[in-house]
Amino acid sequence: MDFRIRYNETKQIVETNLLQYIEDIKNSRQNTLYQAMEYSLTAGGKRFRPVLHLEVIKLFGGNILQFLDTACALEYIHTYSLIHDDLPAMDNDDYRRGKLTNHKVYGEDIAILAGDALLNSAFEILWEKVKSKNMFSVVKGAQIIARNAGVNGMIAGQVLDIQSEGKDVDLDTLLYIHNKKTGALIEASILSAAFMMEASEQQVDALRQYATHLGLAFQISDDILDVTGTFEDLGKPIGSDDENQKSTFISHYGVEKSKELLCLHVEKAIASLNIFDEAEFLIELAKYVASRNN
Ligand code: GRG
């Protein structure tokens, strides 16, 4: 298995299908909203969460073409969170993925609404799946996405992240912020697939462990890249965490110790998969998180 080729193939399938759920508003009265949603949906990005979701579907022998809806819903939620995170009221960023941020192109009002619309569209997609499949496993999969994106998940992490700016937070708080802000949607991408494929309790527990360590590794690498990366690779200016006085693994541990922690979480993520016979891609994905440059 060539990891890169397989990743890019799955990513390509996601990208081909990403816009179909909002085609009905293209060239309608809501064309501006469509353009703003399309702008951020097609601005690039690794498609890490939908790829992860579809790879867990494959782990259980599922047909990924039947789960493109959930995969795209996850990318919609991720894209909404980035648009809102970039707003002047939050991180006030001008660039993302090498392009101007949504509000810089469409204005703050439309950017807020484009984010809202992406979140709502994600749940329209999920409700459509729940309705058409009428299966408890699909309800459980959709529920974990709602829960982990919500008040005890990504939004909770974002709130505490904002409230911690400029403060010297303790390690517990740092871990809480990052498990929620970044980890929750990564966990939802994995566990929604596991639930929909009717994984056993033991398999769900193993994947939950994997998700926790993968999420932390992803965040630590993000913090490291904010210090050691380049504008060309990241598509945004480096040093923004420091500028926004964010609590990060770098502010807490420094670069070298953060790199050690990153390796530790990648190792633990991989070890969590030992009950599966065919988890090679997920193992490679964890290693990729440690070596990524964007
Ligand atoms: C606005 C409710 C709300 C939440 C925002 C996503 C987020 C929460 C904040 C973004 C801040 C940030 C840099 C978090 C670190 C991890 C992260 C989510 C990075 C961006 O995700 P990638 O690397 O982005 O998957 P691409 O561009 O590849 O899609």
Side-chain angles (χ1 to χ4, degrees), residues 208-227:
R208 191 178 282 116
Q209 285 292 318
Y210 174 72
T212 300
H213 294 296
L214 188 72
L216 281 170
F218 194 88
Q219 181 61 52
I220 297 169
S221 74
D222 207 76
D223 289 355
I224 294 173
L225 288 172
D226 191 61
V227 179

Side-chain angles (χ1 to χ4, degrees), residues 128-277:
E128 190 55 42
K129 189 174 190 81
V130 167
K131 193 179 85 178
S132 69
K133 296 287 176 205
N134 193 19
M135 284 162 70
F136 186 60
S137 55
V138 176
V139 175
K140 271 178 78 179
Q143 187 189 28
I144 187 95
I145 296 174
R147 185 178 287 158
N148 283 22
V151 294
N152 274 313
M154 185 172 67
I155 294 175
Q158 181 76 349
V159 170
L160 217 64
D161 187 41
I162 289 167
Q163 290 176 334
S164 302
E165 278 175 17
K167 291 187 191 148
D168 205 6
V169 302
D170 60 28
L171 185 57
D172 255 13
T173 309
L174 181 77
L175 288 174
Y176 178 93
I177 292 172
H178 296 306
N179 277 327
K180 301 281 180 181
K181 188 180 84 166
T182 305
L185 199 59
I186 288 177
E187 184 188 78
S189 307
I190 294 171
L191 293 190
S192 58
F195 288 145
M196 288 185 190
M197 292 305 295
E198 304 192 327
S200 69
E201 223 169 278
Q202 188 203 18
Q203 289 167 327
V204 169
D205 284 347
L207 286 171
R208 191 178 282 116
Q209 285 292 318
Y210 174 72
T212 300
H213 294 296
L214 188 72
L216 281 170
F218 194 88
Q219 181 61 52
I220 297 169
S221 74
D222 207 76
D223 289 355
I224 294 173
L225 288 172
D226 191 61
V227 179
T228 63
T230 62
F231 185 95
E232 288 68 38
D233 285 338
L234 294 180
K236 58 179 187 174
I238 61 161
S240 63
D241 289 338
D242 194 36
E243 200 175 306
N244 288 326
Q245 297 184 292
K246 293 274 185 195
S247 300
T248 67
F249 284 90
I250 302 298
S251 64
H252 211 88
Y253 289 109
V255 175
E256 287 317 308
K257 177 85 178 135
S258 296
K259 283 183 179 170
E260 281 173 30
L261 268 178
L262 169 58
C263 292
L264 191 75
H265 284 293
V266 169
E267 279 168 24
K268 286 188 173 180
I270 292 171
S272 319
L273 296 171
N274 64 12
I275 64 159
F276 297 101
D277 292 333

